Amino acid sequence: MEDSVENLIVAANEGDEKAMLRVLERFKPLVRHHAGAFCCFFDDWESAEMTAVTALLEGVRTYAPQCGFVPAYWLKCAVYNSLRAAARKAQRERRLLLRTVVTADGMTDLPPEIADETAPLPETALLEKELRCRLRRAVASLSEKERTLVHLRYTCRLSEKRIGAVIGRSQSGVSRDLAAVVRRLRETLET
């Protein structure tokens, strides 16, 4: 019988190398998923994956059963937060680089009124604008019923159960319809 995640983490904390390897194997899909999502902020995909593995190991080391967190959620948060912090650091470094200009005398900082620290990076703003535009077109191509579902779920932030009550459908029917709409939107955005 396979050990629970919590038992594996506790055993790994106590120095059991086999338990640590089983934890790494069990959470490999999570590590690969998050590394893939954040790899654009790293030099290469392997660096992102190594950061995620390091975060997973740190999450194993810091997990305390008495904290009340579900162990898998604890590790997922450790990996995500570590990658997010590394991504923010990379963005800050790029922003600092963009604030610096080369002059005949050497490097100099841009004036503060031009170099706004809080402003998004130009390429990030362009990508976000393009994505919003493509998403708007994709949503516009949906039927009225599908647009209503998307609006209620993602704009009004209603639960599937409440949406069902509003439009007179069961929760499972709403869930099925939303999954189909999201799948269509993904396909549209990926092409």
Side-chain angles (χ1 to χ4, degrees):
M1 186 172 137
E2 199 168 324
D3 292 328
S4 73
V5 173
E6 186 168 355
N7 291 342
L8 284 174
I9 292 173
V10 169
N13 255 339
E14 294 170 354
D16 184 352
E17 299 232 355
K18 288 184 180 178
M20 182 59 76
L21 289 174
R22 287 198 304 259
V23 168
L24 287 170
E25 189 61 35
R26 179 174 274 179
F27 286 93
K28 190 176 187 177
L30 172 94
V31 165
R32 293 180 73 81
H33 168 76
H34 285 305
F38 283 94
C39 71
C40 62
F41 296 103
F42 291 85
D43 293 333
D44 54 20
W45 190 87
E46 288 80 17
S47 299
E49 185 178 32
M50 189 53 70
T51 301
V53 168
T54 304
L56 181 70
L57 296 175
E58 182 64 17
V60 168
R61 190 186 66 73
T62 59
Y63 178 73
Q66 63 272 16
C67 70
F69 282 100
V70 175
Y73 182 71
W74 177 270
L75 294 179
K76 179 181 179 181
C77 289
V79 169
Y80 176 80
N81 289 335
S82 178
L83 286 168
R84 188 178 66 178
R88 284 184 175 166
K89 181 180 175 190
Q91 281 187 319
R92 275 193 306 275
E93 289 170 357
R94 286 177 43 204
R95 188 171 283 126
L96 285 174
L97 185 62
L98 288 174
R99 286 181 46 210
T100 307
V101 294
V102 179
T103 63
D105 303 347
M107 305 289 269
T108 184
D109 283 343
L110 291 172
E113 61 273 6
I114 297 174
D116 182 7
E117 282 285 324
T118 60
L121 293 173
E123 64 269 17
T124 305
L126 285 173
L127 288 173
E128 288 175 357
K129 183 177 179 181
E130 180 187 348
L131 181 60
R132 278 194 306 272
C133 185
R134 289 177 59 206
L135 183 59
R136 229 179 264 118
R137 283 194 306 263
V139 170
S141 72
L142 297 174
S143 70
E144 184 67 32
K145 175 185 150 193
E146 291 169 330
R147 281 196 305 274
T148 301
L149 281 175
V150 168
H151 176 75
L152 292 174
R153 181 69 176 122
Y154 299 104
T155 304
C156 298
R157 300 192 182 271
L158 295 181
S159 67
E160 292 173 352
K161 186 175 184 178
R162 295 206 45 208
I163 293 171
V166 168
I167 64 173
R169 303 260 333 258
S170 67
Q171 179 183 354
S172 62
V174 170
S175 178
R176 206 172 27 252
D177 290 347
L178 275 171
V181 168
V182 168
R183 190 172 35 256
R184 277 190 51 210
L185 287 172
R186 275 197 184 118
E187 289 170 358
T188 303
L189 291 174
E190 288 173 358
T191 57

